[in-house]
Amino acid sequence: MSWRLLDDVDKAILYALQQDARNATTREIGDQVGVTASTVSNRIAELKDDGIITNYLATLDYSRAGFPMHVLIHCDVPVHDREAIAHRTLDIPGVVNVRELMSGTDNIRIEAVGETRDDITGIVSALSEEGVQTTDEILIQNQHFRPLSSLEPEGED
Amino acid sequence: MSWRLLDDVDKAILYALQQDARNATTREIGDQVGVTASTVSNRIAELKDDGIITNYLATLDYSRAGFPMHVLIHCDVPVHDREAIAHRTLDIPGVVNVRELMSGTDNIRIEAVGETRDDITGIVSALSEEGVQTTDEILIQNQHFRPLSSLEPEGED
DNA sequence: TTTGAAATATGCAAAAT
DNA sequence: ATTTTGCATATTTCAAA
């Protein structure tokens, strides 16, 4: 696993991008920590290259978007196949998030979305055909994200 | 729950923003479905107002960022307090994601991040002090996101 | 509602410190 | 490594269709 020590500029960048990855401008971020927009731009590119920033994504309220079936599926797969299977499940239509867990059982958790119950049934079938045993299926009521507090700037400039 | 039927423009926007919320330009999106950047801009604002787009966030590789303790915590709370408690747990330092589940037991799932085991222990203590019973704690090995496939454009223009 | 054009902002690259 | 400058692009606004 590669490393990299984060300074205040990096932290401010990551915090801002966790808050609003689309509208946080390089200048705004730079002003908070006293560097120019160019520096912020360079750093963001570095952080992406270093694999610290993995993605920028919009989070949706799937119900409001017309997909009221939003579920969490527990899966049980052999440990040595876990990573490969996790990647394959990502390609099943309706799957939006996969977590690999360091657990003896229920070691993959899949977040999936559909318009109808049949859509979810189809996803579970697809999992079954991939040799993935599903052990539980739970409706997700709501989901919230927060930036990592350790990255929050103290109050500079 | 409010509604809104998504047309092809909306879908293309949501798909693009799920792929790269920071770098997807309004023009690129518009070109794909044959509308101008202005229209895309207007639509994005609408989708945000309607609560369909809830957030834009950067996803991080916490290990590479210097936070190797990345865990999923199962919590068991009284159903009628679930939403209120879920919101409060978001303010505990280190908590980055909370899912409310429609389940009799283990109905809140908390994703938390720390530098050391003690950080995680502290988070669990904080939960306990909020009256939240934690029933399990599992290391997260990896996590992947995908745009919702139903939103993918067919191939227009 | 969508557009097109103007005005504003933003990000990026190159050269300099 | 960061900044300054200059350039190319992106976004927003608003009048008009």
Side-chain angles (χ1 to χ4, degrees), chain A residues 1-156:
Chain A
M1 173 60 62
S2 73
W3 267 96
R4 186 177 192 293
L5 199 59
L6 303 179
D7 65 13
D8 288 343
V9 177
D10 295 315
K11 287 180 187 172
I13 289 170
L14 296 178
Y15 190 77
L17 293 180
Q18 282 197 311
Q19 275 196 314
D20 190 336
R22 185 165 177 85
N23 302 119
T25 68
T26 53
R27 186 146 75 96
E28 276 171 359
I29 301 171
D31 285 348
Q32 288 190 332
V33 286
V35 295
T36 63
S38 300
T39 303
V40 173
S41 184
N42 294 335
R43 290 291 191 97
I44 289 176
E46 280 177 37
L47 290 163
K48 196 88 198 293
D49 282 345
D50 292 349
I52 291 173
I53 297 171
T54 55
N55 211 353
Y56 303 107
L57 55 91
T59 57
L60 309 184
D61 183 324
Y62 291 108
S63 293
R64 291 185 200 242
F67 300 87
M69 301 307 298
H70 187 189
V71 302
L72 181 67
I73 302 168
H74 286 210
C75 304
D76 213 11
V77 308
V79 189
H80 57 283
D81 295 337
R82 191 189 53 203
E83 187 169 357
I85 290 176
H87 276 86
R88 269 188 280 130
T89 62
L90 275 169
D91 291 326
I92 298 172
V95 171
V96 295
N97 173 255
V98 174
R99 287 174 175 165
E100 300 173 41
L101 305 185
M102 309 274 278
S103 173
T105 86
D106 280 13
N107 51 2
I108 292 186
R109 304 292 171 84
I110 294 177
E111 179 188 0
V113 171
E115 295 182 66
T116 65
R117 264 228 60 82
D118 282 355
D119 290 339
I120 305 302
T121 307
I123 292 168
V124 173
S125 298
L127 286 167
S128 172
E129 281 161 26
E130 296 258 11
V132 178
Q133 192 189 356
T134 62
T135 59
D136 206 352
E137 185 196 315
I138 312 155
L139 271 175
I140 296 175
Q141 168 70 238
N142 226 328
Q143 174 167 220
H144 306 278
F145 292 89
R146 271 289 148 85
L148 179 53
S149 59
S150 327
L151 300 171
E152 187 171 10
E154 306 287 325
E156 15 257 306

Side-chain angles (χ1 to χ4, degrees), chain A residues 64-66, chain B residues 3-8 10-11 43 47 52:
Chain A
R64 291 185 200 242
Chain B
W3 268 97
R4 187 179 192 291
L5 201 59
L6 303 179
D7 64 13
D8 287 344
D10 295 316
K11 287 181 186 171
R43 290 292 190 99
L47 290 163
I52 291 173

